[in-house]
Amino acid sequence: MGTTDKADEHESLPGEPRSLWLDTTPETDFDPLDGDRRVDVAVVGGGIAGITTATHLQERGREVAVLEADRVLEAVTGHTTAKLTSKHGLIYREIVSNYDAETARKYAAANEAAIEDVAARVEERDIDCDFRRRSAYTYVADREKRQNVREEVSAARKAGIDAVFVEDPPLPYDVECAVRFDDQAQFHPRKYLLDLVESIPGDGGDVYERTRALYFARQFPKRSYVLATRLAEAPPDGTFYRVGDTSFSVRTQPGPDGEYTFVGGQNHKTGQGGSTAERYRKLARQAREHFDVESIDYRWSTQDYETSDRIPFVGKLGPTTDGVYVATGFGGWGMTGGTAAGMMLADLITGGSNPWADAFDPMRFDARAGGKELLTENANVAKEFLGDWATKPLTSVVTLSPGDATVTREGGSVVGTYRDDDGKEYKVSAVCPHMGCLLEWNDGERSWDCPCHGSRFTYEGEVLDGPANADLSRLDLDD
Ligand SMILES: Cc1cc2nc3c(=O)[nH]c(=O)nc-3n(C[C@H](O)[C@H](O)[C@H](O)COP(=O)(O)OP(=O)(O)OC[C@H]3O[C@@H](n4cnc5c(N)ncnc54)[C@H](O)[C@@H]3O)c2cc1C
Ligand code: FES
């Protein structure tokens, strides 16, 4: 397995197109919900947030049913890099500036508690999930960003974290400087969470797969990419994250063929990033610039959701929605965020108080923080809606090479056509069934992606990611 030829990377994509987490754990196979079921709490979504919430609620004696549209732990949680840390880029400087030190303290406390919650469970249940304590570094490559790192150290200390300014983080390439948090961690997220999932059935609890509930989205999807490489040099000691115009993330992980070094990054808004295949190639080039890469064995990518002030939404959905709670918008940091959300929601749902919850309140928005960016994001989404693209010139004649796709106007329909490697064409409606945006082709994953709220569909039109609840109509099949 693996690609080693440098010239090759310009033509083919590096690595096997599969997440190492999914490749090294068994598949799940829970039955769909058939008929009605009465429980204390229905948890919609079997990712880290849903499974942790269900576990905490069950520990407090509540009957829970997890409803998963597809298979549990395969969506974002199955495609993460799983650094368990309260160090999320340079977020403390942002929170102190947008809000205050008290909000930053709550954010830090929730995420630190999440690391300890995982650590305690791993120990109590003796879960074999490659859990390791690591120091976590965020670094910058440019001299102009040095001051940002100094400000982050100071803001993180205000938030109660013992942050350290570091001139030379332990990496084999030059960087400007870094901030370090100690006693952070990393783990194999599926090995850990599958242990939790297996404990849910029984005691009034249940897990249903292939069971989709109705819901909506209120954040912005961002896609990012990971390569699992094997190095010809010693792997770096720690977890690393470079902030800047594009992020670059590094961590190590034991795998089937020895120690892997994951590199990640190339983030962009879903459906708005140009060629996704080229993102993998760029990431492979970056990996080779920074490390002595022996092989690239796996590649995967997925999208996470971000709120406009980068603090997740955890809590009651709205003032008029009694009994409905949400946990989302982890912005690429849901290993701790999703775990902390489970702890907070269990407190809120069982009527207890939670010391961090007001910092994460989904109803917190006012003009003070996030307002400006929220408007910009809404304008960005609006640009993609029907009114705008209906007048876009779309060609009606195409000759596609195998593996290519395009959007054309055919009669009254806007058609997405994909030609597979054997020359067979698949035609779907290229209008997103969620709220009518024009879909874009994702050449890395061979899917139709929506630039508005991140729904994704296979080339045969089947929903891969919501909020869309309906498949695309197939336009090449007779009814
Ligand atoms: C490349 C990459 C690297 C990352 N690295 C890190 C990292 O190092 N550290 C970190 O902390 N975080 C990281 N993250 C972020 C982290 O992985 C996510 O924040 C986290 O996995 C999100 O978990 P979740 O439970 O919210 O979502 P998911 O894992 O996506 O789970 C949501 C589930 O809900 C289901 N669902 C959706 N709609 C419905 C419906 N209508 N009915 C029923 N079920 C439904 C989906 O099928 C899915 O299984 C990374 C993310 C990416 C993309
Ligand atoms: S319009 Fe909302 S996901 Fe496509």
Side-chain angles (χ1 to χ4, degrees):
M1 191 170 16
T3 53
T4 49
D5 182 355
K6 209 167 177 185
D8 194 30
E9 88 190 18
H10 296 288
E11 282 118 43
S12 60
L13 291 177
E16 291 289 316
R18 181 140 175 90
S19 138
L20 179 139
W21 314 125
L22 291 164
D23 206 39
T24 51
T25 44
E27 288 176 8
T28 54
D29 186 17
F30 293 98
D31 290 335
L33 175 62
D34 183 14
D36 292 342
R37 173 81 210 278
R38 182 165 284 280
V39 284
D40 297 327
V41 186
V43 175
V44 176
I48 190 167
I51 298 303
T52 309
T53 303
T55 300
H56 276 273
L57 285 166
Q58 218 175 20
E59 284 170 355
R60 294 170 199 205
R62 298 304 190 274
E63 289 191 349
V64 292
V66 175
L67 309 177
E68 166 54 49
D70 193 358
R71 295 283 174 212
V72 297
L73 309 174
E74 287 197 4
V76 191
T77 302
H79 293 83
T80 179
T81 45
K83 301 183 286 297
L84 261 173
T85 174
S86 61
K87 186 200 61 51
H88 300 163
L90 302 179
I91 196 156
Y92 293 99
R93 147 182 193 274
E94 228 174 293
I95 298 180
V96 169
S97 144
N98 282 341
Y99 295 100
D100 48 32
E102 182 58 21
T103 308
R105 251 196 303 280
K106 290 176 179 166
Y107 185 89
N111 284 286
E112 283 286 309
I115 302 172
E116 298 318 316
D117 188 60
V118 173
R121 230 171 265 284
V122 168
E123 167 121 19
E124 272 159 31
R125 297 179 176 221
D126 196 17
I127 307 174
D128 180 11
C129 65
D130 310 322
F131 180 90
R132 282 193 207 165
R133 288 286 179 177
R134 306 296 261 171
S135 291
Y137 298 82
T138 293
Y139 67 92
V140 293
D142 312 320
R143 188 144 194 90
E144 314 86 79
K145 305 236 168 68
R146 196 177 171 83
Q147 183 55 23
N148 296 355
V149 175
R150 289 226 176 268
E151 286 170 17
E152 178 68 5
V153 171
S154 155
R157 286 187 183 157
K158 282 185 195 153
I161 305 252
D162 213 359
V164 182
F165 183 86
V166 180
E167 290 286 358
D168 291 309
L171 282 168
Y173 49 91
D174 286 341
V175 311
E176 178 60 31
C177 61
V179 48
R180 190 184 78 220
F181 289 11
D182 291 323
D183 283 328
Q184 309 292 291
Q186 64 182 42
F187 66 155
H188 188 311
R190 266 183 68 94
K191 285 187 185 169
Y192 168 76
L193 288 161
L194 282 171
D195 191 278
L196 269 52
V197 167
E198 277 152 22
S199 309
I200 294 173
D203 276 347
D206 255 310
V207 178
Y208 299 103
E209 294 188 320
R210 305 278 151 111
T211 303
R212 183 175 285 274
L214 293 177
Y215 85 119
F216 72 95
R218 215 175 95 192
Q219 333 99 59
F220 320 111
K222 292 226 166 122
R223 205 158 182 86
S224 45
Y225 298 79
V226 185
L227 298 177
T229 72
R230 283 195 292 140
L231 303 186
E233 61 187 323
D237 182 9
T239 69
F240 302 88
Y241 187 79
R242 185 194 70 207
V243 287
D245 296 340
T246 60
S247 64
F248 185 65
S249 141
V250 177
R251 68 159 279 193
T252 60
Q253 166 67 28
D257 294 316
E259 190 78 354
Y260 287 87
T261 297
F262 293 171
V263 297
Q266 291 295 322
N267 310 5
H268 64 91
K269 276 194 189 139
T270 300
Q272 297 187 22
S275 167
T276 57
E278 189 48 29
R279 304 258 168 194
Y280 280 120
R281 294 194 187 100
K282 276 193 193 152
L283 195 56
R285 285 197 285 276
Q286 280 181 315
R288 291 196 159 103
E289 278 159 24
H290 291 317
F291 297 105
D292 189 357
V293 175
E294 193 172 277
S295 65
I296 298 177
D297 290 8
Y298 294 90
R299 70 168 191 271
W300 65 86
S301 93
T302 188
Q303 61 202 29
D304 203 12
Y305 292 85
E306 192 161 87
T307 65
S308 58
D309 66 357
R310 287 181 243 296
I311 301 179
F313 290 148
V314 183
K316 218 170 142 190
L317 182 60
T320 56
T321 47
D322 264 352
V324 183
Y325 296 79
V326 66
T328 187
F330 300 117
W333 298 108
M335 294 293 105
T336 49
T339 305
M343 300 162 82
M344 283 186 257
L345 288 188
D347 279 350
L348 297 177
I349 291 168
T350 56
S353 64
N354 180 279
W356 322 308
D358 60 339
F360 294 82
D361 186 350
M363 293 180 274
R364 66 182 172 271
F365 279 111
D366 55 29
R368 208 161 40 119
K372 195 165 147 236
E373 193 175 341
L374 194 62
L375 285 177
T376 316
E377 291 288 355
N378 284 343
N380 181 305
V381 168
K383 206 157 65 68
E384 308 292 337
F385 277 139
L386 180 77
D388 202 67
W389 66 255
T391 54
K392 231 184 212 174
L394 293 171
T395 170
S396 56
V397 183
V398 280
T399 313
L400 287 172
S401 305
D404 276 358
T406 192
V407 176
T408 55
R409 210 184 284 281
E410 293 181 19
S413 305
V414 178
V415 182
T417 307
Y418 164 67
R419 186 160 199 214
D420 73 11
D421 293 337
D422 299 325
K424 181 172 178 201
E425 287 195 348
Y426 298 81
K427 288 178 186 285
V428 293
S429 161
V431 179
C432 180
H434 178 230
M435 290 174 75
C437 288
L438 182 64
L439 301 175
E440 294 192 4
W441 180 244
N442 170 341
D443 58 355
E445 265 70 41
R446 299 195 176 191
S447 59
W448 291 105
D449 293 2
C450 181
C452 289
H453 312 102
S455 292
R456 296 181 56 244
F457 307 85
T458 65
Y459 54 77
E460 292 178 283
E462 203 182 315
V463 182
L464 286 169
D465 288 316
N469 274 301
D471 294 342
L472 303 175
S473 347
R474 273 294 284 273
L475 303 177
D476 54 344
L477 299 179
D478 295 332
D479 290 332

